[in-house]
Amino acid sequence: MSTDRTFSSSAFSSAAGDSGTTSISDIHPDILRTHILTRLDGPALAAAACTSSQLHRLTAEPSLWGDICHSTWPSTATQRLDALISEFPDGPRSFFSDSFPCISYNSETSTSSPPSPATYSHRRRRRHLPPELISAVDIYYRGEMIFSKVVETETVSGWFRCSPFRIDMLDPKDVVPTPIKFPIGGGNTCRELAENLSLSWIMIDAAGRRAMNLSSYQPVSVQRHWLSGEVHVQFATVLGGERGTAAECVKCGIAVTCGGWEGGNLQVREVNLQVEDMDGTFLDGKDSLVILERAMEGTKGKRERKKLEEFMEKKKERKEMKVRREGTLDMMCLAFGFFGFATLCVCFFFR
């Protein structure tokens, strides 16, 4: 997109002229609309909208943002998603704003003092839990799309809300071929995928006309199974949870499994999303819905998502504390067992 930005910058400079007496308003709106604004990506278009009232008006056209959404996330070009995005509060521009930036939270959800259990119960009753979630997933390798799919998940059944939350983009027997030769990178497939694979997972609440992107875009880990040879790529982001305290966090983990036939190309065999707490427990559908709905309510700002490293460090500390606690309990059980055995022996001896 640097070429587009260079083009637009030179166009604006030419409009100003060497003397600096010509303004952007002297350029015909059709030229701005068709030859400049259509060459910008989302962030550049948003920045252009802040420069003048004329550009703000021109950049508000839904068709511009619709094209940007489709080019950024090809999965959104499906007929249903295209119609749904147009129904967002500000059309495709609202969808792009929801799906592109990082997630942050408003003052209510980021408070340092944990609400009471009664407050949590009240919020759960008042909140609208979406009856359906739509997942739009796009995977790229070196900027070229290798996977794009939309999956609709109903969330009202008792089975969904009581079972561990998991969304699979592929059926167990399905595979998606790619043009990538396997193995790649001179045999160092893991490093090659870690540097060049990117993923976008947009979660959409169709009823509430809200969306958010749950992917870290770049992999957080890439490992190759020693026996099967399959490559497991992990993407993840951390969200604030509601399981006891406001400081609780959960990890939205996206797993991509890749493999290849002998002499063939790389294949995508599995793409799924799960929500995990700090104890390593996968959340059920109901708890996951509450957390996802809360994240969609978050305002957009400059604060970044909680870092995955911090989550993993806290998870490690909690695991070590659990091991120490279990070790202490084991020692106490052994001590009581030994004491009981010794008591029985003494009673039997003096009987």
Side-chain angles (χ1 to χ4, degrees):
M1 197 56 66
S2 59
T3 305
D4 296 342
R5 293 179 180 176
T6 303
F7 175 86
S8 59
S9 300
S10 61
F12 288 140
S13 300
S14 300
D18 296 335
S19 60
T21 57
T22 304
S23 65
I24 190 66
S25 60
D26 294 324
I27 303 178
H28 196 279
D30 290 341
I31 297 178
L32 291 173
R33 184 184 299 108
T34 59
H35 296 289
I36 296 178
L37 298 181
T38 55
R39 296 175 178 266
L40 303 181
D41 59 8
L45 188 63
C50 301
T51 58
S52 70
S53 58
Q54 180 188 18
L55 286 177
H56 185 273
R57 183 175 63 256
L58 293 175
T59 57
E61 293 188 9
S63 59
L64 278 174
W65 290 100
D67 292 341
I68 285 177
C69 289
H70 296 163
S71 61
T72 306
W73 307 293
S75 57
T76 62
T78 62
Q79 184 176 359
R80 188 194 176 186
L81 278 190
D82 190 44
L84 179 61
I85 291 172
S86 66
E87 297 175 0
F88 270 58
D90 200 13
R93 181 164 62 176
S94 290
F95 179 83
F96 186 88
S97 177
D98 286 348
S99 305
F100 184 81
C102 294
I103 299 171
S104 61
Y105 301 96
N106 54 33
S107 58
E108 178 185 358
T109 57
S110 62
T111 178
S112 58
S113 57
S116 64
T119 303
Y120 278 126
S121 178
H122 176 66
R123 285 181 183 174
R124 286 179 181 237
R125 286 196 301 268
R126 292 190 58 185
R127 278 182 175 157
H128 154 71
L129 295 183
E132 179 188 35
L133 292 175
I134 302 177
S135 299
V137 178
D138 299 285
I139 303 178
Y140 289 86
Y141 176 74
R142 294 186 176 181
E144 298 294 330
M145 186 186 68
I146 61 173
F147 179 89
S148 182
K149 190 174 182 180
V150 175
V151 168
E152 302 173 7
T153 306
E154 66 84 18
T155 63
V156 296
S157 66
W159 177 86
F160 173 85
R161 299 202 172 188
C162 296
S163 301
F165 179 84
R166 179 183 172 114
I167 297 179
D168 287 287
M169 301 302 295
L170 292 172
D171 292 331
K173 294 183 179 180
D174 289 346
V175 294
V176 178
T178 72
I180 307 172
K181 291 296 182 181
F182 185 84
I184 55 178
N188 197 343
T189 303
C190 293
R191 186 178 67 181
E192 181 71 16
L193 292 179
E195 294 176 353
N196 297 294
L197 199 69
S198 60
L199 178 144
S200 170
W201 188 304
I202 301 178
M203 187 70 72
I204 305 169
D205 172 11
R209 302 299 187 267
R210 296 174 299 183
M212 62 179 172
N213 206 318
L214 294 174
S215 176
S216 55
Y217 294 98
Q218 299 298 323
V220 297
S221 70
V222 182
Q223 297 179 346
R224 188 169 184 177
H225 194 275
W226 66 273
L227 181 61
S228 65
E230 292 182 335
V231 181
H232 301 279
V233 186
Q234 293 284 335
F235 300 81
T237 190
V238 178
L239 302 177
E242 281 194 355
R243 292 172 64 95
T245 67
E248 192 80 62
C249 299
V250 297
K251 182 183 74 171
C252 295
I254 302 170
V256 179
T257 302
C258 301
W261 300 109
E262 183 177 356
N265 294 346
L266 190 72
Q267 295 178 326
V268 178
R269 299 180 176 177
E270 184 177 352
V271 182
N272 65 69
L273 169 69
Q274 291 182 287
V275 181
E276 177 187 356
D277 65 12
M278 286 189 179
D279 293 322
T281 303
F282 291 109
L283 274 61
D284 59 28
K286 183 178 179 180
D287 288 336
S288 299
L289 277 181
V290 172
I291 291 171
L292 293 174
E293 189 270 349
R294 177 175 179 257
M296 289 185 185
E297 287 180 347
T299 56
K300 303 299 181 292
K302 294 183 178 180
R303 287 177 294 173
E304 297 179 353
R305 302 180 190 184
K306 299 178 179 69
K307 293 182 179 180
L308 179 63
E309 292 80 3
E310 296 177 0
F311 176 88
M312 298 304 295
E313 183 65 27
K314 292 179 181 178
K315 180 180 178 181
K316 180 180 178 182
E317 293 175 358
R318 182 168 297 194
K319 183 177 181 180
E320 292 175 350
M321 184 181 300
K322 183 178 180 180
V323 170
R324 289 196 297 269
R325 184 168 58 248
E326 291 177 348
T328 302
L329 290 175
D330 290 342
M331 292 297 295
M332 292 178 63
C333 290
L334 287 174
F336 279 116
F338 178 79
F339 178 77
F341 178 75
T343 303
L344 289 174
C345 290
V346 170
C347 291
F348 180 78
F349 180 78
F350 288 101
R351 186 176 177 180

